[in-house]
Amino acid sequence: MSQLELLKSFIGQEFRVSPSPLMRWLNPTIISAKKGNLVFQYQVRPEWLNPIGNLHGGITAAIIDDILGATMFSLDEPAFFTTINNVIDYFSVAKPDQIIIAETFVIKHGKQFINAECNIWNNERTRLIAKGKSNFFKTEANNHNMSQKHIELSGNENLKQNYQNGIFN
Amino acid sequence: MSQLELLKSFIGQEFRVSPSPLMRWLNPTIISAKKGNLVFQYQVRPEWLNPIGNLHGGITAAIIDDILGATMFSLDEPAFFTTINNVIDYFSVAKPDQIIIAETFVIKHGKQFINAECNIWNNERTRLIAKGKSNFFKTEANNHNMSQKHIELSGNENLKQNYQNGIFN
Amino acid sequence: MSQLELLKSFIGQEFRVSPSPLMRWLNPTIISAKKGNLVFQYQVRPEWLNPIGNLHGGITAAIIDDILGATMFSLDEPAFFTTINNVIDYFSVAKPDQIIIAETFVIKHGKQFINAECNIWNNERTRLIAKGKSNFFKTEANNHNMSQKHIELSGNENLKQNYQNGIFN
Amino acid sequence: MSQLELLKSFIGQEFRVSPSPLMRWLNPTIISAKKGNLVFQYQVRPEWLNPIGNLHGGITAAIIDDILGATMFSLDEPAFFTTINNVIDYFSVAKPDQIIIAETFVIKHGKQFINAECNIWNNERTRLIAKGKSNFFKTEANNHNMSQKHIELSGNENLKQNYQNGIFN
């Protein structure tokens, strides 16, 4: 099963087999999954709030970063994607227990770099809550299976080393 | 006790009385607290990881957003601070259970807007893991007491309404 | 004539009456003009180049900042718009003498803040060269006439003072 | 003469031999030049203004992008540096004919990626006008001599091709 097929097989369900521990904690329900275009749904939880009692911008940022990572996986490329940066603009609020929607898009798909964006909406998609964008750097991998809980990096210890130490090192 | 004095009184301890539910979940230890310059320490937890087993950039973003908010509180101004944006560059990785340090600085302190930055370091501060910056918009408040678990917005229902609905609405 | 009508009256022509001296130097031709959505065309000039002989990212940034400002004017609101930030991702190159296209969109239109984006394309709009986004802060004005070469700020010297000194001061 | 030595040899003078045509147009005077840390001085010109008669944010962006590029040259590495992004926060204004100062810093110097920042100050460095930051991607070069007016990319036509077409292509 490809990574995209795995995502599709969880449409309508919580993505409890995500290889991202943070995603399992954020616990989204997959609404739709296409190559480079994911829609996930989340429910605002008590520990996600800011001092005023609304959704904390830090969780919004975490959701954006995490689903953008999953969007790279949906491309089914034999590569690792390192996030270079994340730029988030905050527009509106979400309340406790509110359902919010994250939708992603690939803006530019290069050989080495990918740029992608994420909109955070209220459940009816009538109000934009936040928008983020990231640049990703691709490193080719020999074996990269998202459906396994941990990612195997066989055959290229150098790559594994580089990836695990970060692109700036 | 002023907000800054409250932060100072927790130096060397976990800041369990933070008005930010997300901060209580992130559970930092306060290393130092000055007006506009905070140093917090965090330990990387299992649910904070990315698919490769390192600290997830989404948690790095959440930490940066949250401590920058606390930095606004440390200014002891009778105002609310709304985060306009957050821009994060990722440089290096952190491992499970690793201790990381967040330090904040105010770059520009205007009457209506404040710009502040946050560095994320390894515990020895020899390796920069990430750096973020945000712009904040100030709204004056009549009564704003950080030491109470929920923030009272007495005397100005209009302000409360505006703040709770977001600056873009 | 409203500001938007002024822009429309120059469709197919160089916008030589722009109130922005930088825009007059960049010398775009207006392709289309709608409220919050402008399309301008530019030709890459020798002094716009980088050391490798392509369009310099600094000029791309200048074009994005300038046309986003014009997009605020196109809204025909009796307000001044101060640019809070500008975030540009660079994707591809443009060559000497090449025609490039800038198109803008309003992403979020709030009472006090506006977020807008700009795409830079090759002339055929088959290749995205760069993308930028900005947050703007609105200050109400009593009299603000774009068709005059300099902007009159009658009736509110305080506002004029604030605007001319920058929002962070 | 190394690239850094070339920059040093123009301290106190306009850098009229810059390989960047845009820099020759912006016409800075070099105040100081160290590896990864440049200080340039500029004078605000009539075509650099915005509709209100102050320094246009687009020129601020151009200056930041351009001097950050020169900062990469000052590293004397046999590499080309492609700008991935540029993030600028605007804090205050500059007036016609005003002298402004740009100073750059390398924040993270990795093998493949470099992150650098630029502050724009008034001449006395008492007021911060803007601040920007960029990520750069390095591509190794065989022969790269800044002191020649055009850059020779001998021995590696592939590299030249890649560089000239942009990293996202």
Side-chain angles (χ1 to χ4, degrees), chain A residues 146-164:
Chain A
M146 189 193 181
S147 63
Q148 298 168 330
K149 280 284 174 60
H150 69 286
I151 288 169
E152 291 182 346
L153 292 151
S154 59
N156 191 336
E157 280 305 307
N158 236 2
L159 169 67
K160 186 175 175 181
Q161 206 56 43
N162 286 336
Y163 185 77
Q164 291 186 344

Side-chain angles (χ1 to χ4, degrees), chain B residues 85 108 110 113 135 167-168, chain C residues 85 108 110 113 135 137 167-168:
Chain B
N85 67 334
K108 186 83 179 187
F113 291 86
N135 290 293
I167 55 172
F168 271 85
Chain C
N85 68 334
K108 186 84 179 188
F113 291 86
N135 290 293
F137 180 62
I167 55 172
F168 271 85

Side-chain angles (χ1 to χ4, degrees), chain D residues 118-132:
Chain D
C118 178
N119 289 323
I120 304 289
W121 295 94
N122 63 344
N123 197 24
E124 300 77 21
R125 295 199 217 185
T126 52
R127 187 165 45 84
L128 190 60
I129 293 170
K131 182 170 185 179

Side-chain angles (χ1 to χ4, degrees), chain B residues 7-27:
Chain B
L7 287 160
K8 281 178 191 287
S9 74
F10 276 84
I11 289 176
Q13 301 174 57
E14 295 168 353
F15 190 40
R16 296 210 172 274
V17 303
S18 171
S20 163
L22 177 62
M23 187 178 287
R24 296 197 299 269
W25 183 78
L26 292 168
N27 196 28

Side-chain angles (χ1 to χ4, degrees), chain C residues 47-146:
Chain C
E47 67 270 32
W48 293 13
L49 300 179
N50 67 18
I52 208 79
N54 292 327
L55 175 62
H56 196 299
I59 292 292
T60 309
I63 287 172
I64 289 172
D65 191 280
D66 189 54
I67 189 174
L68 283 173
T71 305
M72 297 302 107
F73 276 107
S74 81
L75 299 173
D76 276 333
E77 297 190 10
F80 302 104
F81 296 90
T82 305
T83 307
I84 296 170
N85 68 334
N86 194 357
V87 179
I88 299 151
D89 292 319
Y90 296 102
F91 301 136
S92 186
V93 299
K95 301 290 179 186
D97 299 320
Q98 188 179 325
I99 302 295
I100 58 173
I101 302 288
E103 178 161 19
T104 61
F105 303 93
V106 171
I107 301 301
K108 186 84 179 188
H109 192 153
K111 279 184 210 136
Q112 285 186 286
F113 291 86
I114 296 186
N115 184 276
E117 297 187 351
C118 178
N119 289 323
I120 304 289
W121 295 95
N122 64 344
N123 197 24
E124 300 76 22
R125 295 199 217 187
T126 53
R127 188 165 45 83
L128 190 60
I129 293 170
K131 182 170 184 179
K133 63 176 181 178
S134 285
N135 290 293
F136 294 89
F137 180 62
K138 279 196 272 186
T139 312
E140 279 182 41
N142 287 343
N143 182 3
H144 181 207
N145 191 337
M146 191 193 181

